[in-house]
């Protein structure tokens, strides 16, 4: 088998709640190891890092943005009066708690106006609500595409991308392996895959948790997302592309614990360096 650094390689960052810290650590290690990445793809938090990488942003630039991130930078809910007005209408037309303007401002740090301006090919996955399917974004407004891919349903309002209203790409394509394979025709694809927390092991713990119906629904959706990913991974392998998964299992990060981001970054970086050193 050819070593990873001797062939055309694509790099995919999966969706994962606030997983961009770990994705950034993986990217840093891949660069430190000297791999020649031909193209990038991502969904949700993975789309953020895929865009940064495809744009050629340096590791120190990425760290400066992520490590200085504060909840107030992106947490911009509607005023209570607006929410009350929608509640009185049975929430008709209310599509998300956060307005997303703060998130869009953060993404404005991305260099380049359009996806096709990136020095490396970039594929961004989003969920197309209007078209009832997946949006594979390879051209057009870069910030809007990444914003759409990261718009978690119910939390963020949908984002207009092209002719469609879109939300989180991880809902339909947790790790867009097939889309990247079709875009750049690599010999190998490396996937930094972040498993959903409630799929890490077999358990009936959801029966003991408060609001069990919500946990049943969440678990069901996550199972469907994982099976969909495994199906397309196996399909791409059948095409002759060597797909290799990297699972770094970083410590979890959330909007109320952003201070854990640097630890997740370093954990993923070290795990990736160890992984690559054994290839």
């Amino acid at each position: 088998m050819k070593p990873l650094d001797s062939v055309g390689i694509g790099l995919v960052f999966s969706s994962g709640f606030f997983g961009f810290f770990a994705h950034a650590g993986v990217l840093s290690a891949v660069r430190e190891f000297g791999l020649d990445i031909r193209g990038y793809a991502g969904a949700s938090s993975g789309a953020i890092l895929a865009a940064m990488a495809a744009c050629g942003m340096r590791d120190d630039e990425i760290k400066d943005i992520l490590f200085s991130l504060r909840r107030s930078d992106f947490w911009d809910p509607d005023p209570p009066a607006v929410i009350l007005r929608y509640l009185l209408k049975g929430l008709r037309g209310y599509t998300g708690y956060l307005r997303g303007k703060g998130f869009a401002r953060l993404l404005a740090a991305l260099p380049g106006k359009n996806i096709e301006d990136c020095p490396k090919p970039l594929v961004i996955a989003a969920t197309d609500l209007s078209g009832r399917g997946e949006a594979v974004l390879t051209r057009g407004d870069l910030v809007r595409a990444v914003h759409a891919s990261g718009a978690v349903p119910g939390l963020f309002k949908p984002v207009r991308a092209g002719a469609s209203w879109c939300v989180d790409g991880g809902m339909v394509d947790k790790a867009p392996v097939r889309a990247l394979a079709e875009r750049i025709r690599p010999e190998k694809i490396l996937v930094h895959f972040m498993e959903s927390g409630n799929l890490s092991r077999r358990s009936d713990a959801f029966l003991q948790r408060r609001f069990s119906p919500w946990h049943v629904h969440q678990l069901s959706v996550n199972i469907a997302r994982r099976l969909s990913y495994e199906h397309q991974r196996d399909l791409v392998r059948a095409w002759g592309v060597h797909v290799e998964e990297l699972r770094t299992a970083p410590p979890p990060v959330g909007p109320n614990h952003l201070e854990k981001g640097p630890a997740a970054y370093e954990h993923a970086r070290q795990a990736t360096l160890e992984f690559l050193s054994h290839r």
Side-chain angles (χ1 to χ4, degrees):
M1 183 182 296
K2 295 180 181 179
L4 275 173
D5 57 354
S6 68
V7 297
I9 306 170
L11 181 55
V12 176
F13 298 112
S14 81
S15 65
F17 195 54
F18 283 80
F20 39 75
F21 290 103
H23 289 320
V26 170
L27 177 64
S28 177
V30 164
R31 288 172 167 175
E32 183 177 338
F33 209 79
L35 298 189
D36 180 19
I37 304 299
R38 306 295 176 84
Y40 298 88
S44 196
S45 64
I48 298 173
L49 254 295
M52 288 178 166
C55 286
M57 292 182 69
R58 301 189 312 270
D59 291 337
D60 62 316
E61 293 176 315
I62 295 173
K63 287 175 67 176
D64 284 346
I65 292 172
L66 298 185
F67 288 11
S68 63
L69 186 64
R70 299 293 180 268
R71 187 175 186 268
S72 58
D73 294 334
F74 58 88
W75 201 262
D76 56 353
D78 283 317
V82 172
I83 298 174
L84 177 60
R85 187 164 65 247
Y86 276 103
L87 280 170
L88 294 174
K89 297 192 299 183
L91 294 179
R92 183 179 292 109
Y94 190 71
T95 57
Y97 181 59
L98 301 181
R99 290 172 288 177
K101 293 181 179 179
F103 186 25
R105 284 195 298 270
L106 289 171
L107 296 175
L110 291 169
K113 177 178 175 59
N114 296 309
I115 298 174
E116 60 268 29
D117 296 334
C118 297
K120 294 288 182 73
L122 172 63
V123 175
I124 295 174
T127 299
D128 183 348
L129 298 177
S130 303
R132 307 297 198 270
E134 179 185 7
V136 177
L137 305 174
T138 58
R139 300 184 63 83
D141 190 299
L142 176 63
V143 169
R144 187 169 290 274
V146 177
H147 188 184
S149 184
V152 179
L155 183 60
F156 286 100
K157 301 182 190 304
V159 177
R160 193 78 173 179
S164 297
W165 288 105
C166 295
V167 292
D168 195 321
M171 300 305 296
V172 293
D173 197 348
K174 186 170 176 66
V177 174
R178 177 176 179 173
L180 185 62
E182 292 175 336
R183 175 75 173 83
I184 66 172
R185 303 292 180 179
E187 293 182 63
K188 294 188 178 184
I189 292 179
L190 179 63
V191 184
H192 183 219
F193 190 86
M194 302 189 71
E195 185 73 274
S196 300
N198 56 3
L199 293 182
S200 58
R201 61 184 183 277
R202 183 180 178 87
S203 171
D204 293 333
F206 61 88
L207 294 172
Q208 309 304 320
R209 303 186 68 176
R210 297 179 63 191
F211 306 109
S212 291
W214 184 86
H215 290 288
V216 169
H217 178 268
Q218 183 188 45
L219 182 58
S220 301
V221 170
N222 286 340
I223 291 170
R225 294 164 68 207
R226 184 184 64 187
L227 291 175
S228 175
Y229 160 72
E230 291 174 347
H231 173 74
Q232 67 165 293
R233 177 201 62 194
D234 294 344
L235 177 64
V236 170
R237 284 174 173 169
W239 292 348
V241 180
H242 181 70
V243 180
E244 197 154 11
E245 293 178 356
L246 169 61
R247 302 191 182 218
T248 58
V253 182
N256 297 319
H257 298 286
L258 294 171
E259 73 281 358
K260 297 181 179 180
Y265 174 98
E266 188 58 28
H267 177 98
R269 192 181 76 85
Q270 292 295 337
T272 303
L273 288 172
E274 182 177 356
F275 173 86
L276 294 175
S277 68
H278 290 92
R279 306 314 304 151

